[in-house]
Amino acid sequence: MASEQQNNPLHGKTLEAILTHLVEFYGWERLGQQIRINCFISDPSIKSSLKFLRKTEWARKKVEELYLLTPANNPL
């Protein structure tokens, strides 16, 4: 199991750190265009987005996938 985590590019990264990086890179408007969910479009905030993403697996997966595809994906 430990070897599985070594190969996981998201290992050690929190959802908050991933989301913060995406907001800094794309901004809320462009992030809402990339992933069409209300918490990115209507009155977005890190707190409300995290609450939604933690409860909604399909949305969290989309955020993680976009993070992995983001150019200049700096280590957090």
Side-chain angles (χ1 to χ4, degrees):
M1 183 151 167
S3 63
E4 288 176 23
Q5 288 301 319
Q6 284 180 326
N7 296 327
N8 180 351
L10 298 175
H11 180 68
K13 294 180 175 48
T14 65
L15 184 56
E16 183 173 7
I18 290 169
L19 182 59
T20 300
H21 178 77
L22 290 174
V23 170
E24 288 173 358
F25 187 83
Y26 292 106
W28 286 112
E29 185 175 344
R30 198 159 153 227
L31 186 57
Q33 293 168 352
Q34 294 282 330
I35 304 172
R36 304 285 301 168
I37 53 179
N38 265 350
C39 64
F40 293 166
I41 298 167
S42 177
D43 195 25
S45 73
I46 296 288
K47 185 178 177 179
S48 67
S49 297
L50 285 172
K51 185 176 179 180
F52 176 77
L53 293 171
R54 287 181 177 133
K55 293 189 298 184
T56 315
E57 188 173 342
W58 65 264
R60 184 174 59 250
K61 287 200 181 292
K62 285 185 178 259
V63 166
E64 291 171 348
E65 288 170 4
L66 181 60
Y67 176 79
L68 293 174
L69 296 173
T70 300
N73 190 350
N74 300 323
L76 299 176

